[in-house]
């Protein structure tokens, strides 16, 4: 399978970005990515734009052409929407556009703006990532869906709130040096355990914040990069995508995420690697329990072993497999439609040594970015590798 | 360029479908398409699902997994959104999935449900296809945007309301035998000219209705079709995609649609045909003027010649290039997220002889489906050809 070269990347800070419009945010990330790649707007053949609730947040559908215009082009575009995995799927479809030989240069990324909707509006928007007919109308909230998964996990494999607290503490600590992170603040296990309960067993520090932000990647073929003398040291060598039932009630188990497993198997096979080859990982930790489910779905830990990984120090920045060195969704923030691209950017920066936490993984050559939609009814996995 | 075999297709009737949910509509279209292809849900590798305002109409984001489940699978999926071109872009990205060799069997289609939003809600939803910041907030409605394009066209090339009326009369007449059409009712030029004005120069009969409905296509590779003995007589031999500025104010001319021109050039080049080879066409006539803009963008008529084509009888069912034999968006209806797939289905059925208007084009071997988003800030063109 041909690889796709990551020629450039850019992102805005994540946080409550006030009155900055979605198009302004994507322009910032996208133009940075083009500059990083050494390319011009006219070089862009296609745009793959992830966004989840812009139809509500900015009364704006048809955001593909707006994203393209933000880059300074009228190249063909589309919005790709898979809830919290929107950008992950956008990256996947963009990788395909390059690998198929149909496009030379594509921009993949995304943007979300939710703070302008207020807390109730954002909560209402986020609920649309779950099944409205069979879950939301029955009274479940999105945090409650993950709380059910946490309870199912505890019952199947053991673990407790304190295990989850260690994940939050780790990701907050990782974000301390990341000036693009939404939450740059150290917390303790006691802070996490003492925080208000959101949906038992999940408390406030088990949940990621509601963030605004944008991220963009420039992908191209090895041939194009060579012909145009682009400086690039990282490539996407594997891309996988998995699915599952939308509603939790239809799943065999709430303690496992087969969509992640399927996506990982596909991505590993393409890259001809296995979980043991992975040096550094960004996973979708919208809630602390989601990090556990992801690590096990990715095959980095056996089922039942992921829950204690942070507590045992195996996923901290000095651990055997550092997880979410960017701070993860938990502390870096989670502008839904941008997250999947920001994860790929973080892994690339870690591999090429430009990430503020790159010194923690000086020998890393293989990284994985994992993005999940809703309660993991969608998942994407991308393998990135250092190239010569 | 490898072609993608159209192995099966299905659609619901278009119209005001009352309480039928989006997932129910797509299940109907999608399962018909799978049955038509002689394939099972487990054969589906990926789903590309077009939808525009389900986030508003059914409070449902993340519709990819719901669409997949409607087909009886948890295959990876995504929602593709490009306003009224959502399904056209979904088909394009699905064609790429097959041509790249990454997937054997993909389902591409879409669904829209808008009548349950009420007229005001649907109008509000449709406005999201235009630029909220620079157009909608300035007070323009979506019909008014097309009215501006009609005025600009008249000024640049001539033409009048009566020319447009002939387009409406033609498409209504075409739909008379199509029992899936929203409006099966003959109208006269006098009816059209005497109808209430919507946005001058456009009247009620210049606009398509607000429709609910779904359409689905099963695409596969020639190799897979041969290996599995699939009966298929039509292939997608060209796929093109164009873009333009979102807001009308940023365009050099409102009387031309370069997104359509670019998409057509790309699709023709892939299929190694030119406009003269095209036997039958479905174009995006959300308003009568849009049919004119499409025909000229497609190169089927010179600039300025498209406006009189219906009046001269050149695009009627006994004309030199029959246009919108299905009734078009005007009379067949326009469930936004389904339209692009329904157009491809119509062309395929015309070429293979199963369409109620197939007798009007008995010798047709090459057809074109043209789908546009918003005020043609996005456009896709697909060339379909009869295969042996």
């Amino acid at each position: 399978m041909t690889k796709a070269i990551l020629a450039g990347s850019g992102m805005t800070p994540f946080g409550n970005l006030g009155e900055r419009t979605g198009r302004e945010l994507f322009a910032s990330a996208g133009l940075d990515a083009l500059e990083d790649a050494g390319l011009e707007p006219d070089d862009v053949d296609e745009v793959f734009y992830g966004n989840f609730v812009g139809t509500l947040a900015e009364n704006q559908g048809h955001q593909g052409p707006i994203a393209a215009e933000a880059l300074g082009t009228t190249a063909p575009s589309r919005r790709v929407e898979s809830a919290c995995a929107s950008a992950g799927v956008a990256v996947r479809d963009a990788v395909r556009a390059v690998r198929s030989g149909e496009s030379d240069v594509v921009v993949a990324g995304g943007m979300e703006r939710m703070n302008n909707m207020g807390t109730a509006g954002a909560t209402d928007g986020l609920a649309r990532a779950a099944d409205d007919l069979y879950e939301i109308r029955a009274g479940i909230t999105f945090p409650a869906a993950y709380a059910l998964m946490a309870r199912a996990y505890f019952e199947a494999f053991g673990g407790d709130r304190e295990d989850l607290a260690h994940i939050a503490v780790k990701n907050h600590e990782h974000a301390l040096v990341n000036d693009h992170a939404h939450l740059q603040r150290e917390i303790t296990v006691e802070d996490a355990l003492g925080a208000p309960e959101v949906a038992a067993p999940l408390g406030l520090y088990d949940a990621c914040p509601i963030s605004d932000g944008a991220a963009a990647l420039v992908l191209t073929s090895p041939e194009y990069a060579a012909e145009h003398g682009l400086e690039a040291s990282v490539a996407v060598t594997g891309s996988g995508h998995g699915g599952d039932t939308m509603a939790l009630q239809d799943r065999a188990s709430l303690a496992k995420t087969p969509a992640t497993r399927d996506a990982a198997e596909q991505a590993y096979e393409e890259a001809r690697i296995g979980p043991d080859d992975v040096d550094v990982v960004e996973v979708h930790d919208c809630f602390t329990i989601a990090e556990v489910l992801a690590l096990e779905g990715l095959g980095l830990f056996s089922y039942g072993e992921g829950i204690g990984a942070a507590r045992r120090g195996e996923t901290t920045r000095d651990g055997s497999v550092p997880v979410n060195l960017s701070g993860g969704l938990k502390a870096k923030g989670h502008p839904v439609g941008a997250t999947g691209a920001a994860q790929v950017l973080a892994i690339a920066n870690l591999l090429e040594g430009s990430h503020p936490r790159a010194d923690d993984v000086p020998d890393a050559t293989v990284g994985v970015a994992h993005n999940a939609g809703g309660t993991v009814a969608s998942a994407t996995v991308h393998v990135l590798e250092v190239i010569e």
Side-chain angles (χ1 to χ4, degrees), chain A residues 82-118:
Chain A
S82 286
C84 322
S86 294
V89 182
V91 172
R92 172 162 173 70
D93 287 352
V95 165
R96 175 178 283 157
V98 167
R99 291 199 301 203
S100 69
E102 295 192 19
S103 283
D104 287 326
V105 176
V106 301
V107 173
M111 180 283 300
E112 207 74 52
R113 189 182 174 205
M114 294 190 81
N115 281 288
N116 68 324
M117 300 170 81

Side-chain angles (χ1 to χ4, degrees), chain A residues 4-345:
Chain A
I5 302 293
L6 182 55
S9 59
M11 68 179 280
T12 65
F14 286 181
N16 180 339
L17 303 183
E19 292 302 311
R20 294 184 68 186
T21 62
R23 65 188 84 200
E24 182 188 342
L25 296 176
F26 192 69
S28 172
L31 293 173
D32 280 356
L34 282 174
E35 187 181 348
D36 184 32
L39 292 169
E40 299 295 324
D42 283 348
D43 297 321
V44 177
D45 293 319
E46 291 191 75
V47 178
F48 295 77
Y49 186 67
N51 178 267
F52 176 42
V53 292
T55 312
L56 299 167
E58 294 192 318
N59 297 323
Q60 190 63 66
H62 205 193
Q63 292 177 67
I66 290 178
E69 274 190 275
L71 301 172
T73 173
T74 55
S77 61
R78 78 280 284 145
R79 170 179 167 223
V80 179
E81 190 266 304
S82 286
C84 322
S86 294
V89 182
V91 172
R92 172 162 173 70
D93 287 352
V95 165
R96 175 178 283 157
V98 167
R99 291 199 301 203
S100 69
E102 295 192 19
S103 283
D104 287 326
V105 176
V106 301
V107 173
M111 180 283 300
E112 207 74 52
R113 189 182 174 205
M114 294 190 81
N115 281 288
N116 68 324
M117 300 170 81
T119 306
T123 302
D124 185 46
L126 287 166
R128 286 164 168 79
D131 194 312
D132 181 68
L133 199 54
Y134 294 118
E135 295 183 317
I136 301 303
R137 291 195 200 185
I140 201 169
T141 63
F142 197 65
Y146 269 95
L148 283 176
M149 295 166 88
R151 284 169 177 265
Y153 185 95
F154 289 168
E155 191 167 316
F157 301 119
D160 57 27
R161 288 194 61 207
E162 196 169 331
D163 291 315
L164 298 179
H166 279 274
I167 296 169
V169 169
K170 166 180 75 72
N171 290 347
H172 273 263
E173 200 271 337
H174 287 174
L176 284 177
V177 297
N178 183 354
D179 62 10
H180 281 53
H182 190 162
L183 305 174
Q184 274 189 279
R185 183 156 52 83
E186 197 159 15
I187 63 164
T188 64
V189 169
E190 291 67 37
D191 291 336
L193 292 175
E197 196 167 71
V198 173
L202 304 179
L204 186 63
Y205 284 114
D206 290 301
C208 67
I210 291 168
S211 312
D212 310 324
L217 311 172
V218 179
L219 295 160
T220 185
S221 64
E223 296 74 23
Y224 186 94
E227 281 167 23
H228 293 77
L230 304 186
E231 287 175 27
S233 54
V234 173
V236 178
T237 56
S239 173
H241 187 186
D244 202 347
T245 68
M246 184 72 164
L248 292 176
Q249 68 198 24
D250 294 319
R251 302 196 191 162
S253 165
L254 303 194
K256 295 183 179 180
T257 51
T260 294
R261 182 200 59 210
D262 292 350
E265 283 177 2
Q266 187 179 9
Y268 293 158
E269 189 182 331
E270 284 187 5
R272 299 181 189 182
I273 65 158
D276 290 347
D277 298 311
V278 177
D279 299 316
V280 61
V281 193
E282 292 278 317
V283 302
H284 194 93
D285 59 325
C286 49
F287 297 92
T288 47
I289 185 66
E291 177 165 314
V292 179
L293 298 169
L295 293 175
E296 296 181 1
L298 289 166
L300 297 167
F301 290 87
S302 307
Y303 289 111
E305 293 299 313
I307 183 74
R311 195 175 196 164
R312 294 191 301 270
E314 293 170 11
T315 52
T316 49
R317 60 195 175 89
D318 53 354
S320 50
V321 189
V323 174
N324 287 330
L325 283 173
S326 71
L329 284 59
K330 178 69 205 77
K332 181 181 57 178
H334 181 29
V336 175
T339 284
Q343 292 174 314
V344 170
L345 175 148

